Amino acid sequence: MAETSKKMQIVFAAAECAPFVKTGGLGDVAGSLPAALVRAGAEVIVMVPKYATIKDEYKAQMEHFADFYVSLGWRNEYCGLEKLEHDGVTYMFIDNERYFARDYPYGFFDDGERFAFFSKAITESLQHLPAGFECDILHCNDWQTALAPVFLREFYQGLPLYDRVKTVFSIHNVAFQGQFSDTVMEDILGVAHIPAAASQLRCDACSINYMLGALHYADAITTVSPTYAGEIQTPEFGEGLDGVLRERSYALQGILNGIDVAGFDPATDKRIAANYTIDDRSGKAVCKAKLQEELGLEVRDDRPLMVMVTRLTRQKGMDLVMYALDRILSGGVQVAVLGTGDRDYEDGLRYFQDKYPGTMAARIEFDPALSQRMYAAADMFLMPSKFEPCGLSQIIAMRYGTLPIVRETGGLKDTVIPYNEFTGEGTGFSFSNFNGDEMGDAVFRAARLFWDNREAWNQLVTQAMSQDFSWTRSADKYLDLYFFMHPEIERPAGVEAAAEKAEAEPEVVAEAEPVVEAPAAAEEPKTEEKPVEAKSEVKVEAAPEAEAKPAAKPTAKKTTTRKTTAKKATTTMAAATKTDAAKTTTAKATTTRKRTTAAAKKAAEAEIAPEVKAETATAEAKPVAKAPAKSAAKKTAASKTATTKKATATKSTTSKAATTKAAAKTTAKAAAKSVVKVEEAPSEPKAKAAVEAKPAAKTTTRKRATTTAKKTTTKAAAPKAEAKAEDKPAVKAEPAPKAAEVKTAPKATAKTKPAKETPVSPAVPAEEKAPTKKTSVRKATATRKRH
């Protein structure tokens, strides 16, 4: 029973959160996503450590809400909750000065203990939330909160307040996992005596891994882009966790990050030299001239300006930059780089600045205001990352009309559409391999467009600025996941409609996973499809993806309620289309039904000799349909031959009785459809086809007729039920025979040609063409003599 009055109540836990404390992308996500969830109708409390580095203006607004003690191994540690309302979101700061009153959030010798305390304090705090707030979802982020799902299940499971809590764990960068000595397992975590926890936290003989624990214990796992979700399941990107991620792939999905579109708006941004919009970009030229002047570059609008705002590390592709920078600068492209990092890269950038004065500028510092001016002023933004979970810089660059040049990995691949010179599509430029020459080529593809075709360039800028990367889209996808985990909570109609609108486009590009749900969704309309299903080949081609991958079925669990609804809706639309077609041919279907009933009886007899009957019906139907229904006859022949192929292949691996049953079922359906199709042809050849098909049933041995006699009545009902789908619900779909039929369908076309050219002979039935040819020939000879 759905809870109509209750809102979805979420506790969002992260080690950093803008604007209070931020060192990277996690701070941006924690600062923006909760606010978007609140706007979408959820109630959210964000939990963050109360660092000493938080500005005094925010500390002054905090009110003491609660305090209690948290057990950590043999310790009892003080924990205070400081409450702050900011932009409609409630923030709870975890207060413990021994752990958090430091100059920087991370990088201390006792980080393992500090963030184990943070995780335990989060779970304990669920008992001390404001009145009326009962946590439905505990959403944890990165290794600093990864122990919360472990503590929740091992220490709090069974308490009424905690039984409703579902846990979501988000990976922002799988390279940072929180690995520590296994001595902390008892001394700090207090789980060494719990075999399940101890085994699922341990990553080697003497170490434990906080993130590994969350991957085992969380109810759902997300990461920050769809492509990255696939990449981290491979050894190349999984950082040693690819095995457990593949194991739990049914619970893993990628949801793309967004940006604060109000904060990053060239029309209102006060940090840039001149404002501009998508329609009037004259201000961007002013920004470019001012930045060139500020950085000591030549003030020229005929030279493309390419910038980087990045950490100077190998992960960000600095090896490629060092390799190709000489070629890029000597080719006439201006380059400006802002960032700090490895000393070798810093020195290399300074060298190129000295070598190419007026063309190269290096600012080895951290300056958010300058980074904003660079986003607004540049023509191109370079981001050649070795791996990139999501990346926000390329999104911000597009927002400011700066075209990104990226490597096709992770979120970069998901957010940047490469320019297509033939269609004009795209929002930037990309290259696929981690290779300096490929990167250089991509840079000059962009530069040449800037020089040679300014009209196409301007159109590309317009397309990039038109992209929607707001948090609203991402929040809808997270809500899909939350409501999927809590089906008893009714989603507000307005929010659901917004989510449907937001998901309409992404669902089209779904990969193999959505196909998994197709069989379940397709069972409802099947009864209406059957009477007018002339295009049997369409169904044959759709089935392989659904039926031939039984191993993929668990993946259905990871899809959200929204996705399930979307897919069912898609299937229902297809069914509706076919139903409309059925209405237009109602008169024809009514007259056909009577004939089909007779055909169903003949189809029952076909169980005794399915292959001979199928070939005879095919041979007779083809000449008849040659002029008016040539394509339909081809499809019928292909379908029948596919059945013959299946029967032959199955003979070598299954018993003869099982083969006969599967083939008879399949051919009975085919025969019923065949008669329906032949109905449209002239009546005289149709009658001939029926007469020719009948004697074929007598060619089988009495032994087989006796063994299958009991099944005949049941089997006869199947074609009849399919023929009269409007009167009765169809017989339950048997996936096994259908899957087998599907497997051989592609090869069946090759075997159709002999059937076209050669008249049907009452030779050996297809199912008796086993690998032991002599035995089959003797049986066939004996059959002919008896007749």
Side-chain angles (χ1 to χ4, degrees), residues 44-57:
V44 184
I45 290 177
V46 180
M47 290 194 174
V48 195
K50 186 185 177 185
Y51 298 109
T53 52
I54 295 173
K55 291 179 181 178
D56 290 337
E57 63 177 281

Side-chain angles (χ1 to χ4, degrees), residues 306 308 310-314 316-329 335-339 342-353 355-356 360-362 364 382 384 434-437 439-440 443:
M306 182 174 74
M308 292 183 73
T310 182
R311 284 183 289 113
L312 305 180
T313 62
R314 187 169 191 272
K316 294 298 182 180
M318 289 307 297
D319 287 345
L320 308 189
V321 175
M322 292 295 110
Y323 173 83
L325 204 49
D326 215 338
R327 173 190 168 195
I328 291 168
L329 292 166
V335 178
V337 181
L338 171 66
D342 296 353
R343 182 65 181 271
D344 289 345
Y345 300 133
E346 292 179 357
D347 292 343
L349 292 173
R350 290 190 185 101
Y351 162 78
F352 283 113
Q353 180 177 244
K355 185 176 179 180
Y356 293 95
M360 170 74 193
I364 311 302
L382 182 60
F434 194 68
N435 178 290
D437 288 320
M439 188 198 81
V443 170

Side-chain angles (χ1 to χ4, degrees), residues 65-78:
F65 183 76
D67 54 73
F68 46 90
Y69 281 84
V70 173
S71 62
L72 199 67
W74 48 268
R75 304 161 189 76
N76 263 334
E77 293 289 344
Y78 168 83

Side-chain angles (χ1 to χ4, degrees), residues 716-738:
K720 190 178 288 188
E722 288 169 359
K724 290 193 170 189
E726 293 175 11
D727 302 330
K728 294 185 201 175
V731 178
K732 281 188 179 178
E734 297 183 20
K738 194 169 185 180

Side-chain angles (χ1 to χ4, degrees), residues 93 180 328 429 531 534:
F93 292 88
F180 303 96
I328 291 168
F429 302 85

Side-chain angles (χ1 to χ4, degrees), residues 543-597:
E545 292 175 53
E547 293 290 336
K549 295 184 182 177
K553 278 190 179 179
T555 314
K557 293 181 184 176
K558 88 175 187 182
T559 52
T560 61
T561 307
R562 178 78 266 121
K563 288 188 178 181
T564 310
T565 311
K567 282 158 204 147
K568 283 189 177 180
T570 308
T571 315
T572 312
M573 272 180 71
T577 308
K578 290 173 184 173
T579 310
D580 289 341
K583 286 177 182 176
T584 60
T585 54
T586 307
K588 191 179 287 187
T590 309
T591 53
T592 305
R593 204 175 297 132
K594 293 177 183 179
R595 294 177 182 123
T596 310
T597 310

Side-chain angles (χ1 to χ4, degrees), residues 102 163 284 439:
R102 308 192 187 184
D163 271 353
K284 188 170 177 65
M439 188 198 81

Side-chain angles (χ1 to χ4, degrees), residues 500-751:
E500 189 174 345
K501 184 179 178 182
E503 280 214 25
E505 290 177 17
E507 284 303 315
V508 177
V509 284
E511 297 173 6
E513 297 160 7
V515 181
V516 176
E517 290 190 348
E523 278 184 6
E524 296 172 342
K526 186 175 277 189
T527 54
E528 293 181 30
E529 288 175 29
K530 284 285 179 182
V532 290
E533 186 64 283
K535 298 179 182 177
S536 60
E537 201 166 334
V538 174
K539 210 154 186 131
V540 169
E541 288 175 6
E545 292 175 53
E547 293 290 336
K549 295 184 182 177
K553 278 190 179 179
T555 314
K557 293 181 184 176
K558 88 175 187 182
T559 52
T560 61
T561 307
R562 178 78 266 121
K563 288 188 178 181
T564 310
T565 311
K567 282 158 204 147
K568 283 189 177 180
T570 308
T571 315
T572 312
M573 272 180 71
T577 308
K578 290 173 184 173
T579 310
D580 289 341
K583 286 177 182 176
T584 60
T585 54
T586 307
K588 191 179 287 187
T590 309
T591 53
T592 305
R593 204 175 297 132
K594 293 177 183 179
R595 294 177 182 123
T596 310
T597 310
K601 293 177 183 177
K602 293 166 192 170
E605 292 176 296
E607 180 172 359
I608 307 171
E611 264 57 53
V612 177
K613 178 168 181 176
E615 288 184 19
T616 309
T618 304
E620 288 298 327
K622 180 162 177 52
V624 170
K626 190 170 184 181
K630 190 173 182 182
S631 59
K634 282 183 182 176
K635 288 175 186 174
T636 311
S639 177
K640 308 274 191 304
T641 319
T643 309
T644 309
K645 173 82 176 163
K646 185 267 176 266
T648 310
T650 313
K651 184 73 164 67
S652 58
T653 52
T654 56
S655 67
K656 184 174 175 182
T659 309
T660 307
K661 184 178 177 181
K665 167 78 176 172
T666 311
T667 312
K669 289 181 182 178
K673 288 181 185 177
S674 174
V675 177
V676 174
K677 286 174 186 171
V678 172
E679 162 63 21
E680 294 178 25
S683 57
E684 188 182 341
K686 174 184 71 79
K688 187 179 177 182
V691 173
E692 287 286 342
K694 219 169 191 178
K698 300 175 183 176
T699 60
T700 180
T701 59
R702 287 176 187 167
K703 185 178 179 181
R704 251 168 55 222
T706 309
T707 54
T708 56
K710 291 179 181 178
K711 298 175 187 174
T712 305
T713 313
T714 314
K715 289 288 175 182
K720 190 178 288 188
E722 288 169 359
K724 290 193 170 189
E726 293 175 11
D727 302 330
K728 294 185 201 175
V731 178
K732 281 188 179 178
E734 297 183 20
K738 194 169 185 180
E741 181 182 332
V742 161
K743 279 183 186 173
T744 54
K747 294 182 183 177
T749 326
K751 291 225 166 192

